[in-house]
Amino acid sequence: MREKAVQALTKAAADGIRKMYDEGRCAGLSAILDARDARAERQQTLIQEAQQRFVALQQFSGPRQFDGSQQRPPFSLISFTLNIAGAVKNCSLFSWAFDRGAEVIAEALASAGVEIGRTEIIRSEAGDEFMAIAFAEPVEVKLMMAEIEELHPLGRIFDIDVIRPDGTKASRTDLGASGRTCLLCGNPAFICGRSRAHSTEEILEKQIEIMVSTQVDETALRISEQAVDSLLAEVHIGPKPGLVDRFNSGAHRDMDEGTFVKSAEALRGYFTDCAYAGIYLALTGDEGTMDSLVSLGKEAEKTMLAATNEVNTHRGAIFSMGIFACAAGMSGAKGEGDFRANVAMLGKKLSSKTTSEDTAGAHINKEMGISGIRGEAAAGYPVVFDTGLPVLKAGLAAGDEEAAALKALTAIIAKAEDTNVIARGGTEAAKWLKSEAADILKKAETASFDIRKALADLDRECIEKNISPGGSADLLGLCLFASGRG
């Protein structure tokens, strides 16, 4: 799904930039030349200021703080812009890439222990610019910047100059390195540039692809990380009635907290693919994505079972968290999209897809008409958004994150039709557990009530009755994901 997502977003971005050309939203030659002259003036100003600081430090602390063999102040000026072909120099995609570059430069200097002096960011129709004084030798700084240009996913479009105090540039040849290569053919870049071997449109499209692929990967990996963290947080939280947590295995004899950790980690790639699928779906509306998600889910089940020695830890989460990861990808593809609406659309469509009949939930649905998690998905996960999530957010505002999650779980158990409980204890057990949860939830409104002790007592009863609200645990994981607290 990654390649499809990258292709779709590259096309959308390229179309947007072409529209900017058609509308005349370009930087004219005079604006580009004026920006170049202004940049040179600012560079000179920053260098002079840094030299004045050096002199002031010598007067204050004495020359012993500096190596007497040095003829110039030990500082460098970093000047960073994006290398973008064509006359459109400023758009949301370019600004995103520029901001990432400025962050990476600052992080590299901080990691190396290099003090950063004055910094400036200039934004104009001729492109964004970042300048910073780094108190280190120019060759040392150039080495760090060259590594960024070579190793960072966006490095090929970064143009990072390192300027000495005398105004000359530290170059790659100072490092014994060769010059940069062409994005398209791999030949020396200066040769292709001098001969105009490639059109502006070809180069720009490749530059857009580099930015988009990095953006898509960062979005998908962030969503996947949040999904896995939510599953890990859910299993760790305790005490939970009849469920695996850090205290015990609840009513389960074939799994423990470690089993869930292995399972969640094994599903990391699956959630990444779901996020890619969401990005692609948001940009294309391709209904075939639904079939792709079903196939991804089936493969994820195999991955889970291989990681757990055939123990079913996350089958429900594969279905539901996959939907949430895909919905997050859809929202990320178009900025701040309506996440809940995306979840509802995906839940409705995927819940109607052909699924295996060889599950406890499927048998209960067929025999009792209780739809369980697929009914919840078809309805847009109201127990998550209208029950668990509000309770979780209210509890988080009070400051105790685990107590907030436990209270949210209790509210979910009191509301959800959990086929896991029915499969183990029948409808009477389900009614009993919902009643117990509702009673705890009511008592929890009292400040002196200890919800952890109440749930520990309920845990012992669930273990005795051999019941476990696994479906409710999955819904808690979704609440954690939606709240960003995984």
Side-chain angles (χ1 to χ4, degrees):
M1 294 304 302
R2 178 187 181 277
E3 293 307 313
K4 287 186 175 181
V6 169
Q7 290 171 8
L9 192 54
T10 298
K11 182 180 183 304
D15 289 345
I17 291 171
R18 289 190 192 97
K19 185 177 180 180
M20 293 179 70
Y21 274 100
D22 294 340
E23 295 173 349
R25 290 187 287 155
C26 309
L29 179 59
S30 60
I32 293 174
L33 293 176
D34 287 346
R36 187 178 301 169
D37 291 341
R39 185 183 310 137
E41 290 180 10
R42 284 193 295 274
Q43 290 171 352
Q44 186 61 34
T45 298
L46 263 64
I47 288 173
Q48 289 174 353
E49 289 179 356
Q51 289 171 330
Q52 290 169 0
R53 173 182 171 176
F54 177 81
V55 172
L57 283 172
Q58 279 188 315
Q59 292 173 344
F60 180 77
S61 301
R64 65 184 179 279
Q65 291 214 355
F66 301 96
D67 184 345
S69 66
Q70 291 176 318
Q71 299 302 311
R72 298 186 181 91
F75 73 85
S76 312
L77 172 64
I78 297 171
S79 180
F80 163 58
T81 59
L82 294 184
N83 186 13
I84 302 294
V88 171
K89 301 295 186 182
N90 209 325
C91 66
S92 59
L93 178 63
F94 298 168
S95 292
W96 171 84
F98 171 83
D99 290 343
R100 291 291 291 116
E103 290 172 6
V104 169
I105 290 170
E107 289 168 1
L109 293 172
S111 296
V114 175
E115 181 187 354
I116 303 173
R118 181 176 171 182
T119 63
E120 283 191 4
I121 291 180
I122 301 95
R123 300 187 188 275
S124 72
E125 64 173 341
D128 298 335
E129 303 171 16
F130 168 81
M131 294 185 193
I133 293 294
F135 288 94
E137 291 292 346
V139 172
E140 176 188 346
V141 175
K142 183 62 180 180
L143 178 61
M144 286 187 278
M145 298 303 106
E147 287 179 349
I148 291 172
E149 289 178 336
E150 292 299 323
L151 301 178
H152 193 275
L154 292 169
R156 295 306 310 277
I157 63 165
F158 289 167
D159 188 2
I160 312 175
D161 288 334
V162 176
I163 303 172
R164 298 184 179 91
D166 64 3
T168 61
K169 292 181 180 179
S171 68
R172 287 171 174 258
T173 55
D174 294 331
L175 309 175
S178 58
R180 305 186 80 172
T181 57
C182 173
L183 284 175
L184 298 175
C185 68
N187 288 326
F190 78 93
I191 292 178
C192 289
R194 187 171 57 193
S195 65
R196 299 184 183 274
H198 313 289
S199 69
T200 298
E201 187 171 351
E202 286 178 309
I203 297 170
L204 178 59
E205 185 171 346
K206 182 62 178 178
Q207 291 169 336
I208 292 171
E209 181 186 334
I210 289 171
M211 287 180 273
V212 162
S213 61
T214 304
Q215 193 175 56
V216 165
D217 286 342
E218 288 190 0
T219 298
L221 291 173
R222 173 180 53 78
I223 291 169
S224 176
E225 188 76 16
Q226 180 66 23
V228 173
D229 285 351
S230 297
L231 295 182
L232 293 174
E234 181 280 314
V235 72
H236 182 69
I237 289 165
K240 301 196 299 286
L243 294 163
V244 173
D245 55 36
R246 70 180 186 277
F247 298 111
N248 59 47
S249 295
H252 300 274
R253 296 178 178 82
D254 58 347
M255 62 184 78
D256 57 19
E257 186 181 16
T259 315
F260 274 83
V261 171
K262 290 179 183 177
S263 177
E265 291 292 348
L267 294 173
R268 193 177 295 275
Y270 164 66
F271 295 128
T272 305
D273 284 337
C274 287
Y276 284 136
I279 295 169
Y280 173 72
L281 178 60
L283 295 169
T284 66
D286 184 357
E287 287 293 319
T289 307
M290 301 301 163
D291 293 327
S292 297
L293 287 167
V294 172
S295 297
L296 288 172
K298 290 178 179 177
E299 288 302 312
E301 285 195 19
K302 294 177 183 177
T303 300
M304 171 195 71
L305 294 173
T308 61
N309 293 320
E310 303 301 312
V311 176
N312 171 24
T313 46
H314 284 122
R315 181 172 286 148
I318 287 171
F319 174 71
S320 293
M321 191 64 81
I323 287 175
F324 274 54
C326 183
M330 293 181 68
S331 298
K334 293 191 172 181
E336 296 299 320
D338 190 334
F339 174 69
R340 182 171 182 176
N342 292 336
V343 167
M345 180 276 292
L346 291 167
K348 183 176 182 179
K349 292 187 176 182
L350 289 171
S351 64
S352 64
K353 291 286 182 181
T354 301
T355 58
S356 171
E357 295 296 322
D358 189 25
T359 64
H363 290 304
I364 290 170
N365 183 21
K366 184 176 180 180
E367 295 171 9
M368 302 180 185
I370 299 173
S371 58
I373 191 59
R374 295 201 172 268
E376 177 72 10
Y381 290 90
V383 174
V384 171
F385 292 105
D386 298 330
T387 300
L389 194 54
V391 173
L392 177 63
K393 288 182 176 180
L396 290 172
D400 189 334
E401 295 192 11
E402 184 173 61
L406 291 172
K407 192 173 181 181
L409 174 64
T410 306
I412 291 168
I413 294 172
K415 184 74 173 179
E417 295 297 336
D418 197 322
T419 55
N420 288 270
V421 178
I422 297 172
R424 283 173 169 262
T427 55
E428 289 304 312
K431 290 178 182 178
W432 169 79
L433 184 56
K434 290 177 75 171
S435 176
E436 291 292 311
D439 184 55
I440 291 174
L441 195 63
K442 184 177 181 180
K443 292 177 180 177
E445 297 303 318
T446 304
S448 60
F449 183 74
D450 188 345
I451 192 170
R452 288 181 173 86
K453 182 179 183 304
L455 290 176
D457 292 340
L458 185 58
D459 183 35
R460 285 190 289 271
E461 292 188 72
C462 285
I463 292 172
E464 290 175 5
K465 295 176 183 290
N466 194 36
I467 59 177
S468 175
S472 298
D474 290 339
L475 295 176
L476 173 61
L478 300 179
C479 290
L480 293 169
F481 178 90
S483 72
R485 308 295 287 209

